[in-house]
Amino acid sequence: MKLRPHHALCVQKFTGHGYDENFTRHMTETVQVLKEHPDEKVDIISGCDDLCAHCPNNENGACTTLQKVAEMDRAVLSSTGLRIGEAVAWGRLAALARETVFETAEFEAVCKNCEWYALCKNTNI
Ligand code: SF4
Ligand code: SF4
């Protein structure tokens, strides 16, 4: 599976809300697969990933909110110490995101400009 860095956060905070029906259905399936398979290999990539592929904000392979999401991706790379091109088991990636973002002030710093922040802030994982 290919994920852009900040989606290591979104997958863990997902509660069934998404941009449209197609996106939400695919996201639900992906979250379920990763929950059941913590050893699933995740390739950390830049740009649109397996979740973006089903998103209405993906226009010809580029996110329409690229500036915002690119900043979040950079922040997650900085917090976790991960690099683009790295392959990591989902369980380790999720734990790294929890320890370095959700459990620190980085959560607000990374996510505060996201439209889902209020929801994610109140979602326990
Ligand atoms: S606030 Fe936005 S970027 Fe942060 S975890 Fe939630 S959906 Fe993802
Ligand atoms: S909003 Fe952008 S980064 Fe987020 S899933 Fe859609 S295309 Fe991908």
Side-chain angles (χ1 to χ4, degrees):
M1 184 176 301
K2 296 184 192 327
L3 289 182
R4 62 190 313 153
H6 84 272
H7 281 164
L9 308 179
C10 311
V11 165
Q12 298 189 75
K13 291 286 189 178
F14 182 69
T15 53
H17 302 274
Y19 298 111
D20 66 8
E21 197 179 324
N22 180 39
F23 177 86
T24 303
R25 184 175 52 246
H26 179 257
M27 186 79 176
T28 301
E29 289 167 6
T30 302
V31 168
Q32 193 61 33
V33 166
L34 291 173
K35 263 190 188 153
E36 289 171 3
H37 302 281
D39 53 346
E40 171 86 13
K41 189 187 76 158
V42 176
D43 295 315
I44 309 294
I45 66 161
S46 61
C48 280
D49 65 5
D50 290 356
L51 299 177
C52 302
H54 297 262
C55 181
N57 298 327
N58 174 351
E59 282 188 358
N60 301 316
C63 180
T64 55
T65 60
L66 180 59
Q67 196 178 339
K68 188 171 71 174
V69 299
E71 271 174 31
M72 290 196 281
D73 285 338
R74 276 195 293 275
V76 170
L77 288 177
S78 170
S79 301
T80 59
L82 291 165
R83 288 174 307 227
I84 297 297
E86 204 166 333
V88 56
W90 166 249
R92 177 167 144 66
L93 174 57
L96 262 177
R98 284 197 299 276
E99 289 159 15
T100 66
V101 181
F102 289 143
E103 293 168 11
T104 73
E106 285 299 295
F107 183 20
E108 183 177 3
V110 173
C111 292
K112 64 176 185 257
N113 293 324
C114 175
E115 67 189 280
W116 307 103
Y117 179 54
L119 180 64
C120 290
K121 199 173 152 188
N122 289 310
T123 300
N124 294 320
I125 54 173

